[in-house]
Every structure is written in C-alpha cells, then in structure tokens.
Amino acid sequence: MNIPFLGRRPKPGVPDPAGIADLLAECELLRSLAARERVRLDDSAASLEALDQLVPRWRDDEEVLSWLGNDAGLYLGTVIVRTVPGAAWEIRRDGQPVVRLDSGRQFDVVAHGHEWATSGVPELSQLYGEVAEA
C-alpha cells in the first residue's frame, strides 16, 4: 500500500501497518459527533466511557446509524491497538478490518460498533475491558 501523504513508502506488495492504522483511526463522523457533544476522543479507554454516556440521537437516521457504527467500531479498534500490548490491525480476506490480539484471537470491532450504535449494548468501554483483560 503506497500512501504518499503519510510520508513513507513501504516495500511493494507489503502492507504498511502504521499507514493502515492511521487510516482506520480517522473515524470522521464519530469524531465530529463527539466534538459537538464536547467529548474528547484521545484514543484512551476513558474516551470510550465518555462515548457510552452520549444520548443516542443518531438512532433515528438510518444512514448516520450505519456510518456511525463503522466509525465506533474502528475507534474501538484504534483504542485497543494503541493501548493493549501486542494488539494489531489485520485486514481479513473479505476486506473487514479486525483486531488481532497476541493470543491469536480476532476481535471484529466493526460488528461491535454497529451493535453499540444500534442499541448501546454492549458498551464500548465494556468491550475494551474484555479485550484488555484477555
């Protein structure tokens, strides 16, 4: 993956893990929503707790709900990758980004993000706790 605006050139045919992680961490819609609600997303477990406390006004808009579910999952994955030793992004053959733990366990953060956006359960902070303890 050659992403010139990131300022580095990986070897041809070899994915750049840092570049992938940066792209997956963008989460524009979630970051915009959080900023409007004065929630600071600093890639910490505490920010996941703050997101869990938001009033889910987005549930009335199907289009926003879908995008927000993706962003919530990618943000959860970003926090895990940046704070849990040995955790890393992996892109499955079907193109779905998942987090792989040192134990080899894969965690489908996007699916969990959609569950959170739709119903609020399980909470993002609870999911993080389960992964961090694994």
Side-chain angles (χ1 to χ4, degrees), residues 17 77 80-81 84-91 98-102 105:
I80 293 168
V81 167
V84 175
W89 284 109
E90 182 174 293
I91 307 298
V98 295
V99 172
R100 179 176 289 283
L101 304 178
D102 246 359
R105 179 178 169 212

Side-chain angles (χ1 to χ4, degrees), residues 87-125:
W89 284 109
E90 182 174 293
I91 307 298
R92 294 189 316 210
R93 286 187 172 174
D94 64 1
Q96 182 74 8
V98 295
V99 172
R100 179 176 289 283
L101 304 178
D102 246 359
S103 66
R105 179 178 169 212
Q106 285 187 356
F107 194 67
D108 188 346
V109 291
V110 173
H112 290 297
H114 280 279
E115 291 172 8
W116 175 84
T118 302
S119 67
V121 178
E123 293 181 336
L124 297 174
S125 58

Side-chain angles (χ1 to χ4, degrees), residues 16-17 22 29 39 46 49 54-55 63 81 89 110 125:
D16 177 17
D22 288 345
L29 180 61
V39 171
E49 292 174 14
L54 293 179
V55 176
E63 187 175 333
V81 167
W89 284 109
V110 173
S125 58

